[in-house]
Amino acid sequence: AVLANGMKMKIQFYDPFRTDTSDLDFPAKSVTLEELIRSSDFISIHTPLTPETHHLIGMKELRMMKPTAYLINTSRGLVVDEDALADALAEGVIAGAGLDVFGGHHEPPPQDWKLLGLSNVVLTPHIGGATAEDIYRNFYVTSLDNIIRVLRGEKPLYVVSQGDI
């Protein structure tokens, strides 16, 4: 929202737990989900995956969107019904989509995944916001630091157990 505001975009949002925006340094309007879907040029999804948000965006919601609108999902893949999205993109129901997360597929997705063949979708493997510096620091430096810690007999940082995956 801060970046969008910097580009002079009108900010509106749907959040069932928040309507007050007095703490923000820019104007933002709380609206219903249906109003957001019908009136937005860009919809950027930032929500956890819960039973309530599973397939929050399906064909019904996609058909409510403007044909010139773009859907961006950086939250969790299963928040969007990807089969419905693929059909909507192929049919021109919406202009395009950007997905930084995938739902229901092993990574990488299978080669016959419907979204892979579409020219109006951008797919990134949950690193869409990463900079070259992030990748260097987070992948190389942190990995090397952990290897050195283990060689010294110390516990590595940022341990992920199988149950966390």
Side-chain angles (χ1 to χ4, degrees):
V2 171
L3 293 174
N5 180 62
M7 293 183 281
K8 307 290 187 214
M9 297 172 94
K10 181 176 108 177
I11 310 299
Q12 57 184 17
F13 68 95
Y14 165 74
D15 187 331
F17 305 106
R18 177 187 176 141
T19 56
D20 180 30
T21 60
S22 61
D23 62 319
L24 300 177
D25 294 333
F26 54 86
K29 180 181 176 187
S30 175
V31 296
T32 66
L33 180 59
E34 184 173 331
E35 183 179 349
L36 178 100
I37 290 169
R38 290 187 185 282
S39 63
S40 297
D41 295 310
F42 296 89
I43 296 175
S44 184
I45 304 170
H46 308 271
T47 187
L49 178 61
T50 67
E52 294 79 25
T53 62
H54 182 270
H55 285 186
L56 179 69
I57 304 296
M59 187 55 82
K60 174 185 168 195
E61 292 76 19
L62 293 163
R63 291 199 185 283
M64 283 188 224
M65 292 174 66
K66 297 177 182 181
T68 55
Y70 291 84
L71 180 71
I72 302 162
N73 187 12
T74 61
S75 62
R76 292 291 177 245
L78 290 173
V79 172
V80 175
D81 179 343
E82 292 174 348
D83 288 332
L85 178 60
D87 292 343
L89 290 168
E91 296 169 18
V93 172
I94 64 172
L99 303 179
D100 193 43
V101 290
F102 314 134
H105 298 286
H106 295 286
E107 292 193 24
Q111 290 184 356
D112 63 347
W113 190 39
K114 294 192 316 187
L115 286 167
L116 285 177
L118 299 173
S119 62
N120 54 349
V121 64
V122 174
L123 304 167
T124 56
H126 211 44
I127 61 165
T131 64
E133 293 82 10
D134 290 333
I135 292 170
Y136 177 79
R137 182 184 67 247
N138 292 333
F139 295 112
Y140 298 113
V141 174
T142 301
S143 296
L144 184 58
D145 286 346
N146 273 335
I147 290 168
I148 292 169
R149 289 179 67 86
V150 169
L151 290 173
R152 289 183 185 151
E154 300 170 5
K155 182 178 178 184
L157 301 173
Y158 317 113
V159 175
V160 178
S161 70
Q162 189 65 26
D164 295 334
I165 298 175

